[in-house]
Amino acid sequence: MAHRKQHDLQIAIDGPAGAGKSTVAKLVAKGLNLFYVDTGAMYRAIAYKALSSRIPINDEEQVSQIAQRTEVMLDHSDERLVWCDGQNVTQAIRNPEVSRAVATVAAYAKVRERLVELQRVEAARGGVVMDGRDIGTHVLPEADLKIFLTASADERARRRWIELRNSGRNVSIEEVAQDMERRDRQDMEREVSPLEPARDAKILDTTGLKVEDIVTEILRLAQEG
Ligand code: CDP
């Protein structure tokens, strides 16, 4: 593989909501014995913190201050807990309220600056599979392998709906589809590091594909170098 040893490999996986990034990234990380870093969880943690501090999400100044002060930590145990100022927010950051607020928070330059800094610190600790929206374009522009995962809007909404139902949340598929579409639009249209494939990214459309086939393909690409 390229110029790094396997334990220092950097794999960037970007794409819209519900494309299967985190499921795939976790398995690729396991297969190659690398850390998995879920950067979306970090943006969610800041959105959660702002909401629970009763700060208006549209107040860029105040939300940016929260981002400077908040300590976000991802643990690398099998449970992959997310900590926000010492509080376990693993479940809370998946709430629909957070999902609706997160893209607004993620559009703020100072919020991104702070989290990108933390993400690069994570990457400096060793090899990583990092998933998000701007990993290949901005966070790890020198990554050994860049994947842009997509799937049809219908399939992405269905996947997310099943995930939410399985975690006991009673939402309609239309609601999920609408929220997702709005969030993707916000992510693509923002000025700072919008969601887009890196020029050297490999685009994988996962519509109709099984998770194991996508993982096998990425592992193959990683070995190919
Ligand atoms: O898992 P899901 O596709 O729902 O999203 P996520 O990865 O948890 O990311 C939540 C949100 O955080 C995204 O919709 C983006 O607004 C933001 N995000 C970002 O801007 N940049 C990243 N590298 C990762 C997430």
Side-chain angles (χ1 to χ4, degrees), residues 16-18 21 38-41 43-44 94 102-103 106 112 119 131-135 160 183 187 190:
K21 296 183 300 293
D38 175 356
T39 64
Y43 289 94
R44 285 173 177 273
R94 305 289 158 194
V102 64
R112 301 200 70 81
Q119 289 155 17
D131 82 351
R133 303 293 186 286
D134 61 337
I135 310 306
R160 183 50 50 90
R183 185 148 61 90
D187 287 341
R190 71 172 172 237

Side-chain angles (χ1 to χ4, degrees), residues 24-217:
V24 165
K26 264 180 231 168
L27 291 168
V28 170
K30 204 166 173 191
L32 295 171
N33 202 18
L34 305 172
F35 285 130
Y36 163 53
V37 180
D38 175 356
T39 64
M42 295 177 165
Y43 289 94
R44 285 173 177 273
I46 300 301
Y48 168 81
K49 187 76 186 185
L51 289 169
S52 58
S53 314
R54 311 227 169 279
I55 283 170
I57 285 299
N58 293 319
D59 188 331
E60 178 165 357
E61 186 58 39
Q62 281 199 67
V63 174
S64 300
Q65 276 173 22
I66 283 274
Q68 301 308 316
R69 285 202 301 263
T70 302
E71 198 204 334
V72 182
M73 230 186 67
L74 304 179
D75 85 10
H76 294 290
S77 72
D78 280 348
E79 291 166 289
R80 311 200 169 280
L81 302 178
V82 183
W83 298 88
C84 194
D85 290 335
Q87 187 193 350
N88 179 350
V89 297
T90 317
Q91 300 290 325
I93 60 168
R94 305 289 158 194
N95 282 337
E97 203 192 347
V98 173
S99 299
R100 277 191 293 272
V102 64
T104 304
V105 167
Y108 298 151
K110 287 199 175 128
V111 172
R112 301 200 70 81
E113 246 168 61
R114 159 104 172 114
L115 294 185
V116 169
E117 195 182 296
L118 294 179
Q119 289 155 17
R120 290 185 179 144
V121 168
E122 285 287 330
R125 292 171 48 182
V128 283
V129 179
M130 200 175 268
D131 82 351
R133 303 293 186 286
D134 61 337
I135 310 306
T137 53
H138 183 66
V139 182
L140 303 176
E142 304 292 326
D144 301 277
L145 177 63
K146 299 179 184 178
I147 302 289
F148 193 86
L149 276 192
T150 59
S152 72
D154 278 357
E155 178 146 337
R156 292 190 291 108
R158 199 167 45 242
R159 286 179 190 165
R160 183 50 50 90
W161 179 66
I162 292 169
E163 211 171 84
L164 288 168
R165 301 271 302 204
N166 287 345
S167 65
R169 293 188 177 101
N170 188 17
V171 283
S172 74
I173 194 161
E174 291 79 16
E175 209 179 322
V176 174
Q178 252 173 39
D179 281 354
M180 229 157 103
E181 198 206 311
R182 192 172 48 89
R183 185 148 61 90
D184 285 342
R185 198 167 346 105
Q186 272 182 284
D187 287 341
M188 288 186 290
E189 289 176 358
R190 71 172 172 237
E191 271 170 44
V192 212
S193 308
L195 166 65
E196 64 183 349
R199 248 178 298 163
D200 48 351
K202 170 98 184 149
I203 299 182
L204 295 181
D205 185 338
T206 69
T207 311
L209 293 187
K210 285 201 233 102
V211 169
E212 59 194 75
D213 295 337
I214 307 162
V215 172
T216 307
E217 173 65 0

Side-chain angles (χ1 to χ4, degrees), residues 10-25:
Q10 293 184 343
I11 300 182
I13 303 186
D14 291 298
K21 296 183 300 293
S22 63
T23 311
V24 165

